[in-house]
Amino acid sequence: DSKTLEAWNESRAARWEDWAKAPKLGSNLSLAELTLQWEGMLFDVGNVIVQKTRDENGLPKIQTIDFLRLQTPPNLASEEGKTIIQGVKLTTIRVPVRVNGKMTTREVVTGKPASYFIRDEFDLTAFAEIPADQIIHKFRALRPGMMVGLPEAFSVINKIIDYTDLHIQIGR
């Protein structure tokens, strides 16, 4: 009935508001403050990576991951550009094909992420493979097939660096 539905909606809204006060693991930032942080990250580095996780009590939390930690592990470097692109492991599927008149299947790498390789924050040799359903990865795709985004100013960054280097050399 409508009263039960309204009570359920009010209960969910109250829980959401309570969670949004401090949704991040290891931080007291509110969801509003995190949204501002993510907007800056999207502009500055072109990517926002958030892991869906839980705290020590099993309650849902989120963890923002620095984009620079998304990397292909050195032991999987041979897969870079094949089944892994810039730390994003892609889903493979089997599709039916006809070879010499006979039906068979072959493996195809899709553009859908299967998992993300995240380098440890302190041990630069340790990597965690996190399933894609536990990651929220937002970026602006400029063309099909992009697995990561680019900063808003990507087209002028190299020119600024060149001009800065030139200015430093002239000043010597």
Side-chain angles (χ1 to χ4, degrees):
D1 76 22
S2 64
K3 287 185 181 184
T4 304
L5 183 58
E6 186 63 29
W8 187 88
N9 284 339
E10 288 174 6
S11 170
R12 293 295 113 212
R15 296 260 331 236
W16 172 260
E17 287 180 27
D18 187 50
W19 179 82
K21 289 176 186 173
K24 188 174 179 186
L25 195 62
S27 170
N28 288 327
L29 293 177
S30 70
L31 188 57
E33 292 166 317
L34 287 171
T35 302
L36 291 173
Q37 185 182 68
W38 297 334
E39 179 65 27
M41 290 172 69
L42 198 55
F43 185 83
D44 293 341
V45 289
N47 292 268
V48 175
I49 300 174
V50 177
Q51 181 181 359
K52 297 181 280 183
T53 188
R54 295 190 176 272
D55 67 10
E56 61 277 358
N57 298 319
L59 298 174
K61 290 287 185 177
I62 54 178
Q63 184 67 46
T64 303
I65 297 172
D66 183 347
F67 171 68
L68 296 176
R69 292 176 52 208
L70 178 65
Q71 300 175 7
T72 302
N75 64 321
L76 296 173
S78 64
E79 289 301 309
E80 180 64 41
K82 299 173 188 169
T83 61
I84 302 171
I85 298 176
Q86 293 175 304
V88 181
K89 184 177 181 182
L90 303 175
T91 302
T92 56
I93 60 172
R94 297 210 59 85
V95 296
V97 293
R98 186 176 303 274
V99 178
N100 297 329
K102 296 185 180 190
M103 288 303 293
T104 186
T105 61
R106 72 178 176 104
E107 195 170 79
V108 174
V109 178
T110 72
K112 182 179 178 182
S115 59
Y116 290 78
F117 290 102
I118 306 296
R119 183 186 41 77
D120 187 85
E121 199 167 356
F122 303 105
D123 181 353
L124 303 183
T125 63
F127 286 81
E129 183 175 1
I130 302 171
D133 64 354
Q134 293 177 19
I135 295 287
I136 300 168
H137 182 197
K138 295 295 178 192
F139 62 95
R140 191 180 83 174
L142 299 177
R143 63 182 187 279
M146 286 182 67
M147 292 293 106
V148 297
L150 298 169
E152 285 295 319
F154 77 94
S155 62
V156 296
I157 289 173
N158 285 337
K159 287 184 192 260
I160 291 170
I161 291 169
D162 290 345
Y163 291 143
T164 303
D165 290 347
L166 181 62
H167 179 66
I168 290 169
Q169 290 176 358
I170 290 173
R172 286 186 182 170

